[in-house]
Amino acid sequence: MNESIQPSKWAVRCLRWFCREEFLEDLEGDLMERFDRNAAQSSRFKSNFSLWKDVMALLRPSLIKPFRKKTSNHMFNSHVTMALRSARKEKVFSILNVLGLAMGFSACLYIGMYVLDEARYDTFHEHAPNIYRINQTFIWGDTDNLFGSTGPGVMPAIQAEVPEFDVMTRVHPIDDQLVHTQVAGSKMLEETKLYAVDSTFFKVFTFPLLQGNPNTAMVNPNSIILTESIAKKYFGDQSAYGQQILLGEIGNQVSYQVTGIAKDVPRNSHIQFNALTSMSTIQRLKHGGDTWWWTTFVTFGRLRPDADPELVAQKVAQVPGKYLGSFLPKYQGITYEEFLASGEEWDMYIQPMLDIRLFSHHVFSRLNQTTDIKTIYILGTIAVLILLLSIINFVNLTTARAAKRGKEVGIRKTLGSNKKLLVQQFLVEAMCFSALAIVLSFVLIGLLLPFMDFITGKPLPGDLLFDPIILGAGIASILMVGVVAGLYPAFVLSAFRPLEVMKGQLKHGKSGILTRNALVILQFTISIGLISGAMIIRQHVQHWMEMDLGFDRSNKLVIEDVNRLKQSMGSFEEKIRAMSEVEAVSFSSDTPPYLWDIDEGLKLAESEKEIQFSFMDIDEHFIDMYGMELVAGRNFTGSTADKNHILVDESVLASFDIQSPEEAIGRTLLYDNLKTQIIGVFKPLITEVNWEQSPIVLYYKGGGNIHLPRRMLSVTFKREPSGEEMTKMLQKIEKEWSAFSPNRPLRYTFSDQEYEQIFAPTIRLGKVINLYAALAILIAGLGLTGLLAYMIERRNKELGVRKVLGAPIAHLLTILTVDFTRLMGIGFVLASAASWWVMNRWSEEFMYRAPISFWTFIWAGLLMLGISLFIMSFQSVKAALSNPIRYLREE
């Protein structure tokens, strides 16, 4: 077999095989089996793969023909042959090189998919670039954050003042509803993600209807549109279109007619709904549709194509001044000037819908969770750092082989090869490694995608791997990384002088040493920095989990919507209390950490100062059950007189400049002109970590004319049950619930899990950084292995002389490791400074920050040092124990 021709023929055959139509059809069939389970993913995959096949059909001739011509080209054959021979000769080196690059490519590839998916939110709407949301000042508290929703009267005002909006619409979230149909055998279920929308909803947004007219489906009251999956859920194989569906509690149900069936909402939509009801169904809008206080309506507008967004923003900003002048005196009894003079603000802004997903961290959103753009920046930076580590690893491993390939270069130069041809040779090798690495990275991501989905909590569609942008980025990476990673080794190796190489007198300039030292320092800086970042995030989460919240969240089962039992609430409570495993039960309108009810207007009877406050009603068992500490006064006793009494936290006292808890006892507070007396003061509850927290007032069973439904029943157990015991306990509770309400589902949660949910995004970010920090250590370890091999090759004669002269092994080990330890020290200083600055900026957004200790960086540095010494020990011991005659023979 002629080895000078075979490699290029093999390459052409492989390229032909990958480009041929039969291969693409087989690949499409195999992958479709995987994606058929998800209709949305399948549709997206088909379109992307179809585009990929069209591209390959166009490129097939241009991809194959040039290689056919080059088959007889001796230069190309020589490059390919030498690359394959070199890889075959140094199998371990080749494997390490490909693995290092593949890990870097995989890290970048996954984060690229993640970022691409985030960036494509809401782009499927036909008019997406022209759709804007109306944001306003958060008027319910002293915070610089904005509100992503407005009152129902805002849209008519903007329509009248800003003609650049072609059409406008509102989305009003509805509480979870019980849903029932007349289909035989159907059960009453609870449905989430229900919104009331204007009839113009489908003129602004592109949510295709499978059945129904989008222009008229939401015009009439009591109209409802179901998504395809929800319609199947309630009507099975029957057609849901035109059917009646009941929403609401038994005895208070409202009948809706299904006027449309919508396609399931794309996963990359920030508006996620299961059903839409007509806005005209809301009775309150008929007599209060002009209010600006009822801030639960998310208002969107579609600009005309010729509209200037900056001019529109100026016009929208002027709307509050024109309309609040008449609204505030009517509803609040004050003028707009008096409102501004009190230090309050009421401003309005427009925000592009395409920015909502990534640039709304400072905006309270009612429709869906958003992603902080800082997270994208952090992930993107990590991806670049990991890829940089991979390139450094490649350079280190390649230059580590310089001494071994020196004679090869010398012989080739002696036989006439010039520097240009040698550079081409080593660049071709780098390209080959890069191409193999990118293919391996695609395979790794395909295999590890479910694991990464679990880690990040964000499922990514598998067909995103075949997105033209991802595929194009992969091809570009082969060229970019191949050139960047191969250029330095190529020039280093091609610069060897033949005579010196053949004599074994290979010299290394200061510039080369400085470059390699800089690469090692950069490796250690990146690795220690990622380890430090992961540790700091973990410390913050641990701090939040362990800090004193003012209440005990452990061993708390919370049964929701108990008010659905109506007159049977008391009987159900007694049944639960009588269970042998139960220690105590308590009714309340809410449970910490979530206190949803908030208002302003609370003041002392003798003062005009009003404050914003959170409130809920409780019974006499709540304080003891949740372990809240009274610092003055007493708890509720269960007496009817307590309906005129309240408990306040210490921050209420601070708001009114009351000097001590004892001084507050007996003081009278006014809210909506109703008088209540303070009988107890408790330590503040921490219910907000990211946002400013309001003072808390506790009423007794609807006291103060609050009329909050007692909808939560908290249950504590005599001892914290295991998972199996909790399952059995829930079955018993569900049995009792069904006895009182057979048609209503039981809903429950756990207090500790609700608290942990607050930090879920931070916990997921910490997991990702942990994973990438481990990857950085692994890649850095590969590079360290290569660089140590290079050092040993360079200093083997020196080590041999020292050993012959009697140097102990420990001394030789010190010589080999001291340089790396010094470089690691420099990397530690740089990483500590950079990590402290970055993580300090990251933690600024939290009200309760964990202190960033210098010991964190010390431990990160020691961890990296320990791992590095472990890696270095193998090659160092091997070099120290080797026979010195082997290296001194030429001397």
Side-chain angles (χ1 to χ4, degrees):
M1 181 183 296
N2 190 338
E3 290 188 11
S4 65
I5 299 177
Q6 184 61 26
S8 57
K9 285 186 176 181
W10 177 83
V12 171
R13 288 172 182 170
C14 287
L15 189 59
R16 282 185 189 172
W17 189 78
F18 277 107
C19 293
R20 65 192 179 96
E21 296 181 10
E22 294 84 355
F23 167 75
L24 294 174
E25 290 173 358
D26 293 341
L27 180 61
E28 181 180 20
D30 293 339
L31 292 172
M32 282 306 302
E33 293 181 4
R34 175 181 177 184
F35 294 115
D36 273 343
R37 304 172 188 172
N38 187 307
Q41 289 186 5
S42 177
S43 176
R44 178 79 175 274
F45 167 75
K46 286 180 179 178
S47 62
N48 287 338
F49 202 88
S50 177
L51 177 60
W52 175 245
K53 286 200 300 183
D54 293 340
V55 171
M56 291 303 298
L58 292 173
L59 294 181
R60 188 179 296 113
S62 59
L63 284 172
I64 296 177
K65 288 180 181 179
F67 284 98
R68 284 177 177 165
K69 293 178 181 179
K70 291 183 179 180
T71 302
S72 59
N73 189 302
H74 178 74
M75 186 185 302
F76 175 78
N77 293 338
S78 177
H79 289 334
V80 175
T81 300
M82 292 302 298
L84 292 177
R85 283 179 177 174
S86 176
R88 188 165 55 243
K89 184 178 180 181
E90 297 284 347
K91 295 183 179 65
V92 175
F93 158 80
S94 302
I95 292 173
L96 291 179
N97 245 344
V98 171
L99 281 179
L101 282 177
M103 286 187 287
F105 280 139
S106 298
C108 281
L109 184 61
Y110 179 80
I111 290 181
M113 293 169 62
Y114 188 102
V115 173
L116 182 63
D117 186 70
E118 291 288 338
R120 282 181 170 170
Y121 261 73
D122 298 314
T123 55
F124 62 89
H125 295 290
E126 181 181 355
H127 303 286
N130 296 326
I131 300 175
Y132 289 78
R133 183 177 69 181
I134 309 300
N135 297 333
Q136 70 171 36
T137 306
F138 185 73
I139 61 174
W140 303 112
D142 299 327
T143 176
D144 294 333
N145 294 295
L146 301 180
F147 222 6
S149 53
T150 64
V154 170
M155 187 178 78
I158 292 180
Q159 286 176 318
E161 300 296 330
V162 190
E164 285 86 350
F165 279 110
D166 230 359
V167 60
M168 298 192 73
T169 194
R170 297 167 298 186
V171 180
H172 174 58
I174 303 174
D175 291 336
D176 298 350
Q177 296 285 318
L178 289 176
V179 179
H180 186 59
T181 66
Q182 302 300 323
V183 177
S186 65
K187 293 183 179 181
M188 181 176 290
L189 301 174
E190 188 157 30
E191 204 56 68
T192 60
K193 299 179 182 177
L194 278 69
Y195 302 135
V197 299
D198 288 303
S199 59
T200 54
F201 180 80
F202 293 102
K203 294 181 180 179
V204 176
F205 301 109
T206 306
F207 292 109
L209 294 186
L210 301 175
Q211 291 179 280
N213 187 335
N215 297 320
T216 60
M218 292 282 96
V219 172
N220 297 323
N222 300 97
S223 299
I224 189 170
I225 291 177
L226 306 178
T227 61
E228 186 177 9
S229 59
I230 294 298
K232 188 172 184 179
K233 174 180 176 180
Y234 288 100
F235 292 93
D237 295 331
Q238 297 183 28
S239 174
Y241 185 70
Q243 299 280 358
Q244 295 293 319
I245 191 169
L246 299 175
L247 268 63
E249 304 292 330
I250 295 177
N252 193 31
Q253 292 176 312
V254 178
S255 179
Y256 289 80
Q257 183 180 21
V258 180
T259 56
I261 305 297
K263 281 187 177 181
D264 287 339
V265 181
R267 54 176 300 279
N268 59 343
S269 170
H270 94 276
I271 302 176
Q272 293 289 330
F273 63 86
N274 291 324
L276 302 172
T277 65
S278 51
M279 189 74 73
S280 56
T281 308
I282 303 176
Q283 295 296 319
R284 183 177 170 184
L285 285 177
K286 295 179 180 179
H287 54 79
D290 64 335
T291 180
W292 284 44
W293 286 113
W294 186 12
T295 53
T296 59
F297 293 76
V298 186
T299 305
F300 294 94
R302 191 187 76 192
L303 287 181
R304 297 198 313 262
D306 60 339
D308 181 2
E310 292 186 4
L311 179 61
V312 170
Q314 295 174 8
K315 289 185 176 182
V316 169
Q318 296 171 0
V319 171
K322 293 183 179 180
Y323 284 80
L324 289 176
S326 59
F327 169 78
L328 288 174
K330 177 180 178 181
Y331 288 94
Q332 295 300 117
I334 61 173
T335 65
Y336 184 55
E337 290 73 19
E338 292 173 334
F339 176 81
L340 295 178
S342 66
E344 300 290 342
E345 296 179 352
W346 201 322
D347 301 320
M348 285 192 171
Y349 313 86
I350 62 172
Q351 181 181 18
M353 188 183 67
L354 295 180
D355 288 351
I356 290 177
R357 175 69 179 180
L358 295 178
F359 298 93
S360 294
H361 186 64
H362 63 300
V363 182
F364 292 97
S365 177
R366 292 187 179 273
L367 297 184
N368 204 357
Q369 290 184 345
T370 58
T371 299
D372 187 1
I373 188 62
K374 291 180 182 177
T375 301
I376 300 300
Y377 291 154
I378 291 173
L379 293 177
T381 302
I382 291 173
V384 172
L385 293 177
I386 292 294
L387 183 58
L388 184 58
L389 272 178
S390 298
I391 295 175
I392 293 173
N393 174 68
F394 181 90
V395 172
N396 285 343
L397 286 174
T398 304
T399 53
R401 298 173 64 239
K404 291 186 177 180
R405 301 194 67 179
K407 291 186 177 180
E408 171 197 335
V409 173
I411 292 173
R412 295 186 68 183
K413 279 194 170 185
T414 303
L415 295 177
S417 291
N418 56 35
K419 186 172 182 178
K420 179 180 179 181
L421 290 177
L422 290 173
V423 169
Q424 289 178 356
Q425 170 63 50
F426 295 120
L427 284 178
V428 166
E429 290 187 16
M431 294 285 187
C432 290
F433 283 122
S434 183
L436 288 174
I438 199 69
V439 172
L440 181 58
S441 68
F442 270 81
V443 174
L444 288 175
I445 288 297
L447 295 175
L448 297 177
L449 195 58
F451 171 74
M452 294 301 299
D453 292 346
F454 173 76
I455 291 291
T456 62
K458 176 184 173 65
L460 292 178
D463 65 320
L464 200 58
L465 269 173
F466 296 92
D467 189 276
I469 293 180
I470 297 296
L471 292 171
I475 295 173
S477 297
I478 295 175
L479 300 175
M480 181 192 71
V481 177
V483 172
V484 172
L487 204 57
Y488 174 70
F491 278 101
V492 170
L493 295 175
S494 62
F496 290 162
R497 296 179 180 179
L499 186 59
E500 292 179 352
V501 170
M502 301 304 290
K503 289 183 177 181
Q505 299 173 348
L506 191 60
K507 295 182 180 180
H508 307 269
K510 290 184 178 180
S511 61
I513 295 174
L514 290 176
T515 301
R516 286 188 290 275
N517 288 346
L519 292 178
V520 174
I521 291 172
L522 187 56
Q523 272 192 316
F524 287 137
T525 301
I526 294 173
S527 302
I528 295 173
L530 287 175
I531 296 171
S532 301
M535 292 176 69
I536 290 172
I537 291 178
R538 181 178 178 83
Q539 287 172 359
H540 272 76
V541 173
Q542 194 70 21
H543 172 70
W544 295 327
M545 293 302 170
E546 295 177 354
M547 68 181 181
D548 183 10
L549 305 176
F551 67 94
D552 179 13
R553 66 179 185 273
S554 63
N555 193 20
K556 299 285 187 301
L557 170 69
V558 181
I559 303 174
E560 301 178 344
D561 301 319
V562 186
N563 53 294
R564 288 176 172 173
L565 300 181
K566 297 183 179 179
Q567 292 82 3
S568 300
M569 286 173 56
S571 300
F572 177 72
E573 176 192 9
E574 292 303 320
K575 289 287 188 181
I576 302 301
R577 191 189 301 275
M579 293 181 178
S580 59
E581 301 90 343
V582 173
E583 181 177 9
V585 296
S586 174
F587 275 118
S588 61
S589 60
D590 267 322
T591 58
Y594 295 118
L595 304 183
W596 299 113
D597 295 301
I598 187 171
D599 206 348
E600 33 181 45
L602 183 70
K603 63 181 181 178
L604 285 169
E606 66 272 20
S607 172
E608 291 301 318
K609 180 182 180 180
E610 297 183 349
I611 66 169
Q612 172 187 299
F613 68 110
S614 297
F615 58 93
M616 64 177 177
D617 67 14
I618 64 173
D619 62 14
E620 62 273 23
H621 308 294
F622 188 88
I623 294 291
D624 293 334
M625 172 182 280
Y626 277 88
M628 297 166 59
E629 181 180 349
L630 287 173
V631 296
R634 64 173 178 84
N635 186 16
F636 297 129
T637 61
S639 169
T640 55
D642 282 336
K643 288 185 177 290
N644 296 318
H645 297 154
I646 57 173
L647 305 176
V648 300
D649 71 356
E650 290 179 309
S651 57
V652 173
L653 278 56
S655 300
F656 290 124
D657 298 323
I658 299 176
Q659 300 303 314
S660 67
E662 291 75 17
E663 183 184 340
I665 303 302
R667 302 286 289 271
T668 300
L669 292 180
L670 293 178
Y671 168 64
D672 199 21
N673 294 322
L674 295 173
K675 294 183 179 181
T676 52
Q677 187 180 49
I678 299 175
I679 63 168
V681 179
F682 59 92
K683 282 192 172 182
L685 310 181
I686 297 178
T687 60
E688 288 287 353
V689 176
N690 300 337
W691 312 107
E692 186 174 349
Q693 185 169 312
S694 300
I696 300 173
V697 174
L698 302 179
Y699 291 87
Y700 178 72
K701 293 185 177 180
N705 203 27
I706 296 295
H707 296 305
L708 293 175
R710 289 176 292 155
R711 52 190 175 88
M712 302 290 188
L713 182 64
S714 300
V715 181
T716 59
F717 303 99
K718 293 178 180 178
R719 64 178 181 83
E720 191 160 356
S722 63
E724 184 178 351
E725 291 171 337
M726 180 57 74
T727 300
K728 294 180 180 178
M729 192 68 215
L730 289 173
Q731 291 174 349
K732 293 174 64 174
I733 293 175
E734 188 165 9
K735 182 178 180 181
E736 295 295 344
W737 176 273
S738 299
F740 292 101
S741 180
N743 295 320
R744 300 178 179 93
L746 174 69
R747 293 183 60 189
Y748 60 87
T749 185
F750 298 93
S751 183
D752 55 350
Q753 291 181 2
E754 285 197 327
Y755 181 72
E756 291 174 9
Q757 193 61 30
I758 296 175
F759 315 110
T762 304
I763 293 173
R764 289 196 294 267
L765 177 62
K767 289 180 179 179
V768 173
I769 295 181
N770 276 329
L771 180 63
Y772 277 70
L775 187 61
I777 292 173
L778 181 58
I779 295 174
L782 293 176
L784 192 60
T785 301
L787 206 53
L788 189 62
Y790 167 79
M791 177 180 287
I792 293 172
E793 288 285 349
R794 185 167 61 90
R795 304 182 66 176
N796 51 23
K797 293 183 180 179
E798 174 195 343
L799 295 174
V801 171
R802 289 178 180 272
K803 193 171 183 181
V804 169
L805 295 177
I809 293 178
H811 177 68
L812 299 179
L813 293 176
T814 302
I815 292 174
L816 291 173
T817 58
V818 68
D819 289 341
F820 283 103
T821 305
R822 186 183 302 112
L823 297 177
M824 184 180 296
I826 299 174
F828 167 76
V829 173
L830 295 176
S832 299
S835 298
W836 182 88
W837 184 84
V838 171
M839 300 311 297
N840 196 55
R841 293 289 301 274
W842 168 79
S843 63
E844 283 178 351
E845 64 182 83
F846 302 111
M847 289 182 61
Y848 302 95
R849 302 169 57 185
I852 299 178
S853 172
F854 183 72
W855 282 103
T856 300
F857 305 107
I858 295 293
W859 285 116
L862 290 176
L863 176 61
M864 191 63 202
L865 177 62
I867 294 172
S868 300
L869 290 176
F870 177 77
I871 293 172
M872 289 188 290
S873 63
F874 287 100
Q875 293 195 58
S876 300
V877 170
K878 180 181 177 181
L881 295 177
S882 62
N883 188 351
I885 302 302
R886 175 185 172 190
Y887 303 114
L888 300 177
R889 186 176 298 147
E890 296 179 2
E891 300 296 326

